[in-house]
Amino acid sequence: MGMEPKVYLVTGVGSGLGSAVVGQLASRGAEVVAAARSKEQLEKLGAHAQRRGWKLTTFQGDLAAPGVAEQLVETLNRQGGRLDGASLQTGRWIAGDTLLHRTTDAEWTDGIRSNLEAVFRTARAVLPRFQAQGHGALVLVSATERVRLSGNASYDTAKGGLIDLTRKLARDYRPDGIRVNAVLPGTMEHELPSFDPPTPDGPLKLRNAVGVGAWEVARTIGFLLGDESRWITGAAIPIDGGYSLHGREQDP
């Protein structure tokens, strides 16, 4: 995928997808800046990267807060200033009643802030860098329709908004050589047994206890960030083994 000379930003690094994306990119030679709110998770990932010889820089901060995304860009500047792509999977499930008339102010604000605000602030901070370079790939992480509709109103609104934001950015920044795509995972695992990517040549299992594996999503994100997808922009790709087709799945 030609990732050896690339520099990528990965936000929302936790125990699941964010760490899988970091492992997918860094294990193939890319330089990665990993951002998260949790210091503990970054320390675990950083220690693993050091053992593996990965090129990893960590950044701790709440990207939904004013000014933090700009601090992150300054970290990129200290790394040399280059940025080839960014994977923004900042967000989380919001507990609460699914009916709007029983949604509290706090639940509504939390859903928008956690799932949309950080993406907005981070994208706004990195897009000028892509413009200056004349290229860049941005991947936003939303969710399949079934997952969105099973959440409360704020979660569904924020995750649905990311799909429209993807198309808006893809249209507006295409003349600058910037590609923007979204991935839509189904119900997804949130714990990784290892930060090392598994081999992708095993049998495909369309059904399991937790849904889609984080590594399956991470591989798609890696493809969308790389040069082989240079003709793809404005796409919103469901990753759920066909569950979103509303049909009966075949046994593996």
Coordinates of all heavy atoms in Angstrom, one line a residue, residues 40-81:
E40 N -3.6 6.2 30.1 CA -3.2 4.8 30.3 C -3.2 4.0 29.0 O -2.2 3.3 28.8 CB -4.2 4.2 31.3 CG -4.0 2.7 31.6 CD -5.1 2.1 32.5 OE1 -6.0 2.8 32.8 OE2 -5.0 0.9 32.8
Q41 N -4.2 4.2 28.2 CA -4.2 3.5 26.9 C -3.0 3.9 26.0 O -2.4 3.1 25.3 CB -5.5 3.8 26.2 CG -5.7 2.9 25.0 CD -5.8 1.4 25.3 OE1 -6.1 1.0 26.5 NE2 -5.5 0.5 24.4
L42 N -2.7 5.2 26.0 CA -1.6 5.7 25.2 C -0.3 5.1 25.7 O 0.6 4.7 24.9 CB -1.5 7.2 25.2 CG -2.6 7.9 24.4 CD1 -2.5 9.4 24.6 CD2 -2.5 7.6 22.9
E43 N -0.1 5.0 27.0 CA 1.1 4.4 27.5 C 1.3 2.9 27.1 O 2.4 2.5 26.8 CB 1.1 4.5 29.0 CG 1.3 6.0 29.5 CD 1.3 6.1 31.0 OE1 0.7 5.2 31.7 OE2 1.8 7.1 31.5
K44 N 0.2 2.2 27.2 CA 0.2 0.8 26.8 C 0.6 0.6 25.3 O 1.4 -0.2 24.9 CB -1.2 0.1 27.0 CG -1.5 -0.1 28.5 CD -2.9 -0.7 28.6 CE -3.3 -0.9 30.0 NZ -4.7 -1.5 30.1
L45 N -0.1 1.5 24.5 CA 0.2 1.4 23.0 C 1.6 1.9 22.7 O 2.3 1.3 21.9 CB -0.8 2.3 22.3 CG -0.8 2.2 20.8 CD1 -1.0 0.8 20.3 CD2 -1.8 3.2 20.2
G46 N 2.1 2.9 23.4 CA 3.4 3.4 23.2 C 4.5 2.4 23.6 O 5.5 2.2 22.9
A47 N 4.3 1.6 24.7 CA 5.2 0.6 25.1 C 5.3 -0.5 24.1 O 6.4 -1.0 23.8 CB 4.8 0.1 26.5
H48 N 4.1 -0.9 23.6 CA 4.1 -1.9 22.5 C 4.8 -1.5 21.3 O 5.6 -2.2 20.7 CB 2.7 -2.3 22.2 CG 2.5 -3.5 21.3 ND1 2.6 -4.8 21.7 CD2 2.4 -3.5 19.9 CE1 2.5 -5.6 20.6 NE2 2.3 -4.8 19.6
A49 N 4.6 -0.2 20.9 CA 5.2 0.3 19.7 C 6.7 0.3 19.9 O 7.5 0.1 18.9 CB 4.7 1.8 19.4
Q50 N 7.2 0.7 21.0 CA 8.7 0.7 21.3 C 9.2 -0.7 21.1 O 10.3 -0.9 20.6 CB 8.9 1.2 22.7 CG 10.4 1.5 22.9 CD 10.6 2.2 24.2 OE1 9.8 2.2 25.1 NE2 11.8 2.9 24.4
R51 N 8.5 -1.7 21.6 CA 9.0 -3.1 21.5 C 9.1 -3.5 20.1 O 9.9 -4.3 19.7 CB 8.1 -4.1 22.3 CG 8.3 -3.9 23.8 CD 7.6 -5.1 24.5 NE 6.2 -5.1 24.3 CZ 5.3 -4.5 25.1 NH1 5.7 -3.7 26.1 NH2 4.0 -4.6 24.8
R52 N 8.1 -3.1 19.3 CA 8.0 -3.5 17.9 C 8.9 -2.6 16.9 O 9.0 -2.9 15.8 CB 6.6 -3.4 17.4 CG 5.7 -4.5 18.0 CD 6.1 -5.9 17.5 NE 5.2 -6.9 18.0 CZ 5.4 -7.6 19.1 NH1 6.5 -7.5 19.8 NH2 4.5 -8.5 19.5
G53 N 9.4 -1.5 17.4 CA 10.1 -0.6 16.6 C 9.3 0.3 15.7 O 9.7 0.8 14.7
W54 N 8.0 0.5 16.1 CA 7.1 1.3 15.3 C 7.4 2.8 15.6 O 7.9 3.2 16.6 CB 5.7 1.1 15.7 CG 5.1 -0.3 15.4 CD1 5.7 -1.2 14.7 CD2 3.9 -0.8 15.9 NE1 4.9 -2.3 14.6 CE2 3.8 -2.1 15.4 CE3 2.9 -0.4 16.7 CZ2 2.7 -3.0 15.6 CZ3 1.8 -1.2 17.0 CH2 1.7 -2.5 16.4
K55 N 7.1 3.6 14.6 CA 7.3 5.1 14.7 C 6.0 5.7 15.2 O 5.1 5.9 14.4 CB 7.7 5.7 13.3 CG 9.1 5.1 12.8 CD 9.3 5.6 11.4 CE 10.6 5.0 10.8 NZ 10.9 5.4 9.4
L56 N 5.9 5.9 16.5 CA 4.7 6.4 17.1 C 4.9 7.5 18.0 O 5.8 7.5 18.9 CB 4.0 5.2 17.9 CG 2.7 5.5 18.6 CD1 1.6 5.8 17.6 CD2 2.3 4.4 19.5
T57 N 4.1 8.6 17.9 CA 4.1 9.7 18.8 C 2.7 9.8 19.4 O 1.7 9.6 18.7 CB 4.4 11.0 18.0 OG1 5.7 10.9 17.4 CG2 4.3 12.2 19.0
T58 N 2.6 10.0 20.7 CA 1.3 10.0 21.4 C 1.0 11.4 21.8 O 1.8 12.3 22.1 CB 1.3 9.1 22.6 OG1 2.3 9.5 23.5 CG2 1.6 7.6 22.2
F59 N -0.4 11.7 21.8 CA -0.9 13.0 22.2 C -2.1 12.8 23.1 O -3.0 12.1 22.7 CB -1.2 13.8 21.0 CG -1.9 15.2 21.3 CD1 -1.1 16.3 21.5 CD2 -3.3 15.3 21.5 CE1 -1.7 17.5 21.8 CE2 -3.9 16.5 21.8 CZ -3.1 17.6 22.0
Q60 N -2.1 13.3 24.3 CA -3.2 13.2 25.2 C -4.0 14.5 25.3 O -3.4 15.6 25.5 CB -2.8 12.8 26.6 CG -4.0 12.6 27.6 CD -3.5 12.4 29.0 OE1 -2.3 12.5 29.3 NE2 -4.4 12.2 29.9
G61 N -5.3 14.4 25.1 CA -6.2 15.6 25.2 C -7.6 15.3 24.7 O -7.8 14.4 24.0
D62 N -8.5 16.2 25.1 CA -9.9 16.1 24.7 C -10.1 16.9 23.5 O -10.2 18.2 23.6 CB -10.8 16.5 25.8 CG -12.3 16.4 25.5 OD1 -12.6 16.0 24.4 OD2 -13.1 16.8 26.3
L63 N -10.2 16.3 22.3 CA -10.2 17.1 21.1 C -11.6 17.8 20.9 O -11.7 18.6 19.9 CB -10.0 16.1 19.9 CG -8.5 15.6 19.8 CD1 -8.4 14.5 18.8 CD2 -7.6 16.7 19.5
A64 N -12.5 17.5 21.7 CA -13.8 18.3 21.6 C -13.7 19.6 22.3 O -14.5 20.5 22.2 CB -14.9 17.5 22.2
A65 N -12.6 19.8 23.1 CA -12.4 21.1 23.8 C -11.8 22.1 22.9 O -10.9 21.8 22.1 CB -11.6 20.8 25.1
P66 N -12.1 23.4 23.1 CA -11.5 24.4 22.2 C -10.0 24.5 22.4 O -9.5 24.4 23.5 CB -12.2 25.7 22.8 CG -13.5 25.3 23.3 CD -13.2 23.9 23.9
G67 N -9.3 24.6 21.3 CA -7.9 24.8 21.3 C -7.0 23.5 21.3 O -5.8 23.6 21.0
V68 N -7.6 22.4 21.7 CA -6.8 21.2 21.8 C -6.4 20.6 20.4 O -5.3 20.2 20.2 CB -7.6 20.1 22.6 CG1 -6.8 18.8 22.7 CG2 -7.9 20.6 24.0
A69 N -7.3 20.7 19.4 CA -6.9 20.3 18.1 C -5.8 21.1 17.5 O -4.9 20.6 16.8 CB -8.2 20.3 17.2
E70 N -5.8 22.4 17.8 CA -4.7 23.2 17.4 C -3.4 22.8 18.1 O -2.3 22.9 17.5 CB -5.0 24.7 17.7 CG -6.0 25.3 16.7 CD -7.4 24.8 17.0 OE1 -7.7 24.3 18.1 OE2 -8.3 24.9 16.1
Q71 N -3.4 22.4 19.3 CA -2.2 21.9 20.0 C -1.7 20.6 19.4 O -0.5 20.4 19.3 CB -2.6 21.6 21.5 CG -2.9 22.9 22.3 CD -3.4 22.5 23.7 OE1 -3.2 21.4 24.2 NE2 -4.0 23.5 24.4
L72 N -2.7 19.8 18.9 CA -2.3 18.6 18.2 C -1.6 18.9 16.9 O -0.6 18.2 16.6 CB -3.6 17.7 17.9 CG -3.4 16.5 17.1 CD1 -2.4 15.5 17.8 CD2 -4.7 15.8 16.9
V73 N -2.0 19.9 16.2 CA -1.3 20.3 15.0 C 0.1 20.8 15.3 O 1.0 20.5 14.5 CB -2.2 21.4 14.2 CG1 -1.3 22.0 13.1 CG2 -3.4 20.8 13.7
E74 N 0.3 21.5 16.4 CA 1.6 21.9 16.8 C 2.5 20.7 17.0 O 3.7 20.7 16.7 CB 1.5 22.7 18.0 CG 1.0 24.1 17.7 CD 1.8 24.9 16.7 OE1 3.1 24.8 16.8 OE2 1.2 25.4 15.8
T75 N 1.9 19.6 17.6 CA 2.7 18.3 17.7 C 3.1 17.8 16.4 O 4.3 17.4 16.2 CB 1.8 17.3 18.5 OG1 1.5 17.8 19.8 CG2 2.6 16.0 18.6
L76 N 2.2 17.9 15.4 CA 2.6 17.4 14.1 C 3.7 18.3 13.5 O 4.6 17.8 12.8 CB 1.3 17.5 13.2 CG 0.2 16.5 13.5 CD1 -1.0 16.8 12.7 CD2 0.6 15.1 13.2
N77 N 3.6 19.6 13.8 CA 4.7 20.5 13.3 C 6.1 20.1 13.8 O 7.1 20.2 13.1 CB 4.4 22.0 13.7 CG 3.2 22.5 12.9 OD1 2.8 22.0 11.8 ND2 2.5 23.5 13.5
R78 N 6.1 19.7 15.1 CA 7.3 19.3 15.7 C 7.9 18.0 15.1 O 9.1 17.7 15.2 CB 7.2 19.2 17.2 CG 7.0 20.5 17.9 CD 7.1 20.4 19.4 NE 6.1 19.6 20.0 CZ 4.9 20.0 20.5 NH1 4.6 21.3 20.4 NH2 4.0 19.2 21.0
Q79 N 6.9 17.2 14.5 CA 7.3 16.0 13.9 C 7.8 16.2 12.5 O 8.2 15.2 11.8 CB 6.2 15.0 13.9 CG 5.7 14.5 15.2 CD 6.8 13.7 15.9 OE1 7.4 14.2 16.9 NE2 7.1 12.6 15.4
G80 N 7.8 17.4 12.0 CA 8.3 17.7 10.7 C 7.3 18.3 9.8 O 7.6 18.8 8.7
G81 N 6.0 18.4 10.2 CA 5.0 19.1 9.5 C 4.2 18.3 8.5 O 3.1 18.7 8.1

